Amino acid sequence: MTTRRTTLRRSFRLPLSLGRRIPALTADVSRGGFSAELSQVFLPGSVVDGFFLVDDDEVPFKGVVAWAEPGNPQASMASRIGVRFEQLPPGLKPH
């Protein structure tokens, strides 16, 4: 399966919170969205919101889960999700 990207992604690790309840860490970020590693998995199509922690500032975002891969806790593997932004969050400037 080939994935077609409409924006350039950059490997970039940022702490984030989903719904102010679930901590996660980005694997990459672009103007269109991000992928993240976390302890839980979301279903594709789920609407999510939260914030990135950028230099001690909370940068809020809203988006939709585009894809999801469940992890394996027994193998210490985190779940991964891809989120498409509703719009690029102000204060987030991926290169």
Side-chain angles (χ1 to χ4, degrees):
M1 181 171 152
T2 302
T3 302
R4 230 182 209 179
R5 301 207 189 278
T6 58
T7 57
L8 180 64
R9 289 194 178 262
R10 180 178 179 198
S11 293
F12 197 60
R13 303 295 261 179
L14 279 176
L16 68 108
S17 175
L18 291 164
R20 293 201 171 271
R21 294 185 317 274
I22 302 168
L25 191 62
T26 63
D28 59 53
V29 180
S30 75
R31 293 186 182 280
F34 65 92
S35 67
E37 298 171 346
L38 61 159
S39 60
Q40 298 178 342
V41 69
F42 288 75
L43 292 175
S46 298
V47 175
V48 295
D49 66 84
F51 66 87
F52 297 100
L53 193 58
V54 180
D55 298 326
D56 295 327
D57 293 323
E58 292 183 3
V59 177
F61 68 85
K62 290 184 181 180
V64 176
V65 176
W67 57 266
E69 296 176 357
N72 182 343
Q74 294 176 334
S76 297
M77 291 177 55
S79 297
R80 292 179 48 104
I81 61 171
V83 174
R84 184 176 54 251
F85 292 132
E86 285 183 0
Q87 60 183 329
L88 181 64
L92 184 66
K93 296 181 178 145
H95 301 291

